[in-house]
């Protein structure tokens, strides 16, 4: 492992802490911004968070324009419409506030302000030529880790599939992580986004691209989330648990940004693209079934995962110790009431072959996966997940 070659350049400046959002205006100024485009989740106002983000800008006299049209699993056209509004408003800084959807739209708007064309032109890897305008991300879930990744994921309205743009210019210049912004998240959102964050860490940890540094991030993230997700779910106002979850999400994001994600994410894509299932929930439902399939590909790492999750594997064979991780993960998801099957999500069973085909086109996560799946394998995993355990 220590001989493995890799390169890391994670340029996002991080400000972490309760009330960190009060430093937003200072951050805008440091990055040379004079007028801000605030890209926010449509529910931000009703969650009572809008004031917390707007107040520091108002106090500092920094003008801003609010774009609150972001909806879950946003289409590419939303990024184009947002960029058009941003151009019209004459802004020179973009701030994304919300879950992954708002942050991904903000990241895309930033690069569309300086690169020609439409969002569709930049799908794939490294197709963005120029840096965007300065962009700051403020997550309100814990979370997608989008505040520290170079990816923005959209629904391609034409193909009804999920599609990502990936490239260095998408790295946010700064991320403000304020756990107080997550205190009002409802339990089901805490659960789905928290398991998504755990999945980032786990998939990075067992990725074929994993290395010593990504492992450090991933192991700490899994430990934090495993220990604190139940607490944050049970008592949303528990600021210590919320802080630990936000740190876990951040570290999971940093792990995935360099080691990638795996088959859970690839198989979640069609659930979002074809049926509009939210990203976190889609991953959370699939997670135990994919782990069960994966363990033979890297049992040593899965044995580590069992230990990270406080399981006693003493006296067990490597194979059995790896399988302990499957049960620990199943407990983690069922404790926070993640549905136990695809049937619970009302996915039509006869669409499984089509879903499997699409999942295998999500090439990078499939290649990162510790077990190389065939089409039949993916169909079988969906079938098992359909029936549940
Ligand atoms: Fe994810």
């Amino acid at each position: 492992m220590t001989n493995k070659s890799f390169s890391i350049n994670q340029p996002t400046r991080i400000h972490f802490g309760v009330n960190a959002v009060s430093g937003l205006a200072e951050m805008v100024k440091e990055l040379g911004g004079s007028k801000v485009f605030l890209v926010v989740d449509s529910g931000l106002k009703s969650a009572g968070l809008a004031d917390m983000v707007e107040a520091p800008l108002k106090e500092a006299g920094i003008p801003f324009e609010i774009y609150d049209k972001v909806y879950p699993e946003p289409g590419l056209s939303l990024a184009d419409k947002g960029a058009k509004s941003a151009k019209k408003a004459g802004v020179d800084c973009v701030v994304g506030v919300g879950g992954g959807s708002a942050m991904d739209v903000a990241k895309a708007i930033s690069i569309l302000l300086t690169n020609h064309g439409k969002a569709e032109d930049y799908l794939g890897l490294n197709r963005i030529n120029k840096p965007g305008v300065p962009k700051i991300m403020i997550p309100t879930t814990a979370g997608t880790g989008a505040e520290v990744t170079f990816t923005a994921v959209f629904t391609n309205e034409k193909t009804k599939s999920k599609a990502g743009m990936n490239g260095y210019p998408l790295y946010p210049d700064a991320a403000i992580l304020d756990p107080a912004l997550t205190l009002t998240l409802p339990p089901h959102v805490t659960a789905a986004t928290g398991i998504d964050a755990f999945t980032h860490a786990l998939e990075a940890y067992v990725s074929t691209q994993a290395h010593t540094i990504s492992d450090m991030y991933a192991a700490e993230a899994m430990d934090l989330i495993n220990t604190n997700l139940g607490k944050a779910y049970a008592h949303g106002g528990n600021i210590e648990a919320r802080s630990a979850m936000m740190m876990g999400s951040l570290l999971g994001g940093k792990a995935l940004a360099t080691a990638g994600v795996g088959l859970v994410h690839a198989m979640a894509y069609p659930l979002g693209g074809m049926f509009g299932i939210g990203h976190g929930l889609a991953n959370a439902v699939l997670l135990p079934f994919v782990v069960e399939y994966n363990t033979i590909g890297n049992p040593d790492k899965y044995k580590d995962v069992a230990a990270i999750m406080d399981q006693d594997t003493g006296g067990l064979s490597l194979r059995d110790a790896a399988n302990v991780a499957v049960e620990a993960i199943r407990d983690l998801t069922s404790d926070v009431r993640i549905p136990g099957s695809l049937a619970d999500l009302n996915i039509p069973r006869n669409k499984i072959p089509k879903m499997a085909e699409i999942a295998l086109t999500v090439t990078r996560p499939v290649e990162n996966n510790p077990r190389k799946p065939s089409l039949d394998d993916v169909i079988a995993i969906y079938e098992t997940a359909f029936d549940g355990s």
Side-chain angles (χ1 to χ4, degrees):
M1 170 58 87
T2 45
N3 287 332
K4 197 163 187 175
S5 49
F6 62 90
S7 85
I8 291 188
N9 187 350
Q10 300 189 324
T12 305
R13 207 189 294 190
I14 293 164
H15 282 250
F16 186 96
V18 174
N19 205 27
V21 74
S22 63
L24 173 60
E26 211 172 302
M27 182 56 68
V28 171
K29 284 189 212 158
E30 277 178 32
L31 293 171
S34 61
K35 186 172 185 187
V36 168
F37 199 58
L38 262 185
V39 181
V40 303
D41 270 344
S42 51
L44 199 77
K45 225 181 183 94
S46 55
L49 302 180
D51 281 351
M52 290 172 76
V53 177
E54 292 168 22
L57 295 175
K58 283 180 187 162
E59 254 171 54
I62 296 175
F64 60 91
E65 194 101 356
I66 297 174
Y67 188 69
D68 62 359
K69 308 211 167 20
V70 179
Y71 51 86
E73 314 307 308
L76 284 164
S77 62
L78 189 72
D80 292 325
K81 280 181 204 153
K84 206 170 160 191
S85 303
K87 254 176 211 161
K88 208 166 146 196
V91 299
D92 55 13
C93 180
V94 178
V95 176
V97 189
S101 303
M103 290 192 279
D104 284 356
V105 171
K107 285 154 89 172
I109 289 173
S110 155
I111 64 109
L112 288 170
L113 283 172
T114 51
N115 291 267
H116 296 298
K118 292 183 154 193
E120 192 181 357
D121 304 332
Y122 299 103
L123 295 177
L125 182 62
N126 292 335
R127 299 179 69 183
I128 306 159
N129 300 316
K130 296 183 199 156
V133 302
K135 48 191 163 299
I136 302 169
M137 298 301 134
I138 307 177
T140 61
T141 67
T144 62
E147 68 276 9
V148 287
T149 68
F150 78 167
T151 296
V153 181
F154 294 93
T155 301
N156 187 336
E157 290 108 330
K158 283 184 202 158
T159 59
K160 292 261 180 278
S161 62
K162 302 281 274 185
M165 40 175 88
N166 308 274
Y168 191 83
L170 286 170
Y171 266 122
D173 297 271
I176 296 177
L177 292 108
D178 186 340
L181 297 176
T182 65
L183 288 171
T184 53
L185 275 184
H188 71 281
V189 182
T190 301
T193 52
I195 297 291
D196 184 32
F198 183 88
T199 307
H200 298 150
L202 175 70
E203 295 211 289
Y205 193 71
V206 299
S207 166
T208 55
Q209 305 298 317
H211 50 79
T212 308
I213 295 175
S214 62
D215 279 358
M216 287 168 53
Y217 288 134
E220 182 65 16
M222 284 188 281
D223 187 13
L224 284 168
I225 296 167
N226 180 56
T227 309
N228 289 283
L229 177 57
K231 293 179 199 170
Y233 178 84
H235 263 290
N238 181 337
I239 190 68
E240 282 84 19
R242 292 296 196 185
S243 295
M245 284 301 298
M246 191 154 252
M247 180 57 78
S249 168
L250 167 68
L251 298 180
K254 284 181 82 71
L256 88 86
T258 163
V261 287
L263 187 59
V264 179
H265 274 75
M267 290 181 62
Y269 262 40
L271 294 182
M274 291 166 73
F275 308 110
I277 306 291
H279 173 81
L281 182 60
N283 279 299
V285 172
L286 290 169
L287 176 64
F289 304 99
V290 176
V291 174
E292 195 167 33
Y293 166 81
N294 273 350
T295 48
I296 63 163
N298 197 341
D300 302 84
K301 278 286 185 80
Y302 283 101
K303 183 185 174 184
D304 290 352
V305 171
I308 290 164
M309 298 181 78
D310 284 333
Q311 303 298 307
D312 182 5
T313 57
L316 295 181
S317 67
L318 180 59
R319 179 179 182 274
D320 287 347
N323 285 330
V324 169
V326 181
E327 287 318 307
I329 287 166
R330 197 157 264 140
D331 287 347
L332 181 68
T333 62
S334 70
D335 277 355
V336 295
R337 303 287 182 269
I338 297 295
S341 74
L342 289 182
D344 291 337
L345 301 182
N346 295 320
I347 304 296
R349 189 168 206 149
N350 64 3
K351 295 285 192 240
I352 285 178
K354 183 73 195 160
M355 287 155 56
E357 246 175 63
I358 293 173
L360 285 178
T361 65
V362 192
T363 44
R364 285 202 308 150
V366 169
E367 280 162 19
N368 294 338
N369 199 58
R371 183 172 176 180
K372 202 172 170 25
S374 67
L375 182 64
D376 285 346
D377 288 343
V378 177
I379 289 172
I381 299 167
Y382 276 134
E383 289 283 356
T384 310
F386 188 89
D387 292 327
S389 48

